[in-house]
Amino acid sequence: MKEIRSSWFPILLGLIILIVILGQLLFSRAVVKDEVSIPPATTSADQWQAPDINNLPDDEQGKLIRYGRELISNTSLFFGPKGNITSITNGMNCANCHIDAGARSFGGSFSAVASMYPQFRNRSGRVESIEFRINDCMMTSLNGKPIDSTSKEMEAMVAYLKWIGKDVPKNKKPAGAGLEDLAFLDRPADPENGKQVFISKCTSCHGQNGEGMLNHDSSFYLYPPLWGPNSFNISAGLYRISRMASFVKNNMPFGLATHDSPKLTDEESWDVAAYIISQPRPEKFFSEDWPKIETKAIDYPYGPYADKFSEQQHKYGPFTPIQEARKKK
C-alpha cells in the first residue's frame, strides 16, 4: 500500500502544480480583461457632440446636472433683478453668450471646460478652477457679484459643465470649443460701417438702441442688450472685438446663422462688432488683471501695454502689426 501511495504522490503533486498554474493564468486574464474594459474617452476631441440631457437618470446627480443647466439657461430668473434666489446681476443669462447652454460648437461652447480646467490664465495670472471662472463671468458678462463657491447653485453649474464635456479626453480641446479665431482684417474695423449692418440685421431682436427685448414681466431678456446699463461691462470677454466678431459671424442673426452657414461676411462681422463695442456700457476694472502686461490680449482695449501701439489700435485694429511686433520680441 505504501508503494502504491508513493507512486501516486508525484502525479498528485503534478496535478496540484498544474491547477495552481491554470488558476494564475485565469486570474491574470481576468485582470487584463478588467483593465481593457475601462474605456477611454468615448470620442476624439474633434468629434465632440453635446450629450443628450434627456438621457440623464432621474437620480440625485441627474437632478443636479439638470439644475445646473437651468441656472445657465435662465440665470436671470435666479440671480437677475427679479431673481428668486437673490438680485446680483444685470438680467442677462449665461446662455446669451453660451448658446444652447454651451452645447453649440463655435457658440461659446463648454465642450473643453471639463478637459482643460483647472488651467492657468494670463488674465488673472493664476491657475483657475471652474468655480473661479464661473464667478469671473458673473462679475463681468453679467456685471454682477460672485456667488458662494460652496453653494448648491455653484455645485450644480460645475456638475453641468463637467457633464457636458465628459466625453472629451483630458487636456484636449474640440475644434468648436469656445469661439473661433477669425482672420484679422488688414484695416481697422469700422464702427460706421458696422452701424449699417446693425440697422439692417440686428435691430429686430436687439432694438434700435441695443437695449434688447424683455419678456412680458421684465424678469428676463428674450434678446439681450448689447450696450447700455444692463449689458455686459468693459471687462467681459465679448468686449474684446475679436471675440464679439467671432460670436456674431458664427451665430447671428440668431436662429439663422451657423458656423457652416454664416449670414455675414468676415468684414461685416468685424465692423458690427466695432459698432457694438463703441457704445457706452458699465465700466468695471479689476486691478489684478494682466499681472504681466506683455501677456495682455492683443485686442484688450485698455492700457498699459508692453508695446507702443495706441488703445485705439488695440481696440479696433489693424492687429497684424501688433502681432508681428510681439513675435519680434
Side-chain angles (χ1 to χ4, degrees):
M1 183 65 69
K2 288 182 178 180
E3 290 178 358
I4 294 173
R5 287 179 179 174
S6 62
S7 65
W8 276 98
F9 181 75
I11 298 174
L12 289 172
L13 182 60
L15 285 172
I16 291 170
I17 293 172
L18 180 61
I19 290 169
V20 171
I21 293 172
L22 287 172
Q24 288 177 335
L25 287 171
L26 289 172
F27 177 76
S28 65
R29 286 187 178 183
V31 171
V32 171
K33 184 178 179 180
D34 285 344
E35 288 176 348
V36 299
S37 68
I38 301 172
T42 57
T43 181
S44 72
D46 291 337
Q47 295 173 329
W48 179 82
Q49 288 186 337
D52 188 348
I53 195 80
N54 296 312
N55 292 335
L56 278 172
D58 192 26
D59 57 13
E60 289 305 310
Q61 186 65 13
K63 290 176 182 177
L64 187 69
I65 292 169
R66 288 189 182 93
Y67 184 39
R69 188 182 193 280
E70 182 68 15
L71 288 162
I72 286 168
S73 298
N74 299 296
T75 319
S76 180
L77 297 181
F78 301 93
F79 299 116
K82 296 184 178 182
N84 58 34
I85 294 179
T86 187
S87 301
I88 58 171
T89 72
N90 55 11
M92 292 176 65
N93 300 316
C94 298
N96 292 143
C97 302
H98 304 281
I99 296 181
D100 296 338
R104 182 186 294 186
S105 292
F106 302 102
S109 166
F110 290 139
S111 59
V113 173
S115 65
M116 301 300 291
Y117 277 81
Q119 72 169 236
F120 178 85
R121 291 181 71 225
N122 285 320
R123 180 162 184 164
S124 63
R126 56 168 284 177
V127 175
E128 297 181 1
S129 64
I130 297 177
E131 292 86 349
F132 183 98
R133 193 70 181 88
I134 289 172
N135 271 333
D136 181 66
C137 287
M138 293 290 292
M139 293 186 290
T140 57
S141 297
L142 300 186
N143 193 36
K145 299 177 181 178
I147 62 175
D148 184 351
S149 61
T150 64
S151 66
K152 180 181 178 181
E153 285 65 39
M154 179 65 82
E155 182 186 6
M157 284 191 280
V158 170
Y160 174 74
L161 293 174
K162 289 183 176 179
W163 170 81
I164 200 170
K166 64 184 178 64
D167 296 324
V168 179
K170 192 64 180 172
N171 298 319
K172 298 294 183 182
K173 186 176 180 180
L179 297 170
E180 180 185 26
D181 291 327
L182 296 184
F184 293 145
L185 300 182
D186 58 4
R187 61 169 175 82
D190 189 334
E192 285 303 312
N193 288 345
K195 182 178 181 179
Q196 301 310 311
V197 177
F198 183 85
I199 291 171
S200 64
K201 303 289 186 181
C202 311
T203 54
S204 60
C205 294
H206 297 288
Q208 294 290 330
N209 298 306
E211 69 275 18
M213 184 186 299
L214 285 161
N215 74 322
H216 68 283
D217 67 355
S218 301
S219 59
F220 64 89
Y221 280 98
L222 298 171
Y223 299 100
L226 298 181
W227 61 84
N230 298 320
S231 188
F232 55 88
N233 64 46
I234 58 174
S235 291
L238 284 185
Y239 190 61
R240 289 174 49 199
I241 190 172
S242 68
R243 305 298 81 199
M244 177 60 77
S246 174
F247 186 83
V248 168
K249 173 71 184 296
N250 287 290
N251 302 285
M252 296 294 136
F254 186 70
L256 298 176
T258 66
H259 174 69
D260 296 325
S261 181
K263 303 305 176 185
L264 300 179
T265 65
D266 279 17
E267 289 203 345
E268 288 174 323
S269 300
W270 281 101
D271 286 344
V272 75
Y275 176 64
I276 292 168
I277 68 170
S278 72
Q279 303 303 308
R281 66 187 62 258
E283 292 192 1
K284 184 186 286 187
F285 292 96
F286 297 88
S287 59
E288 64 271 20
D289 278 355
W290 312 107
K292 294 184 177 181
I293 61 171
E294 64 271 19
T295 66
K296 187 175 287 188
I298 200 170
D299 58 340
Y300 189 75
Y302 295 100
Y305 303 110
D307 57 54
K308 296 181 180 180
F309 296 93
S310 67
E311 284 191 347
Q312 180 83 357
Q313 187 163 348
H314 277 282
K315 186 171 184 176
Y316 298 114
F319 296 109
T320 300
I322 305 175
Q323 187 179 59
E324 290 177 346
R326 288 193 176 187
K327 287 179 180 178
K328 290 179 180 178
K329 277 194 173 183

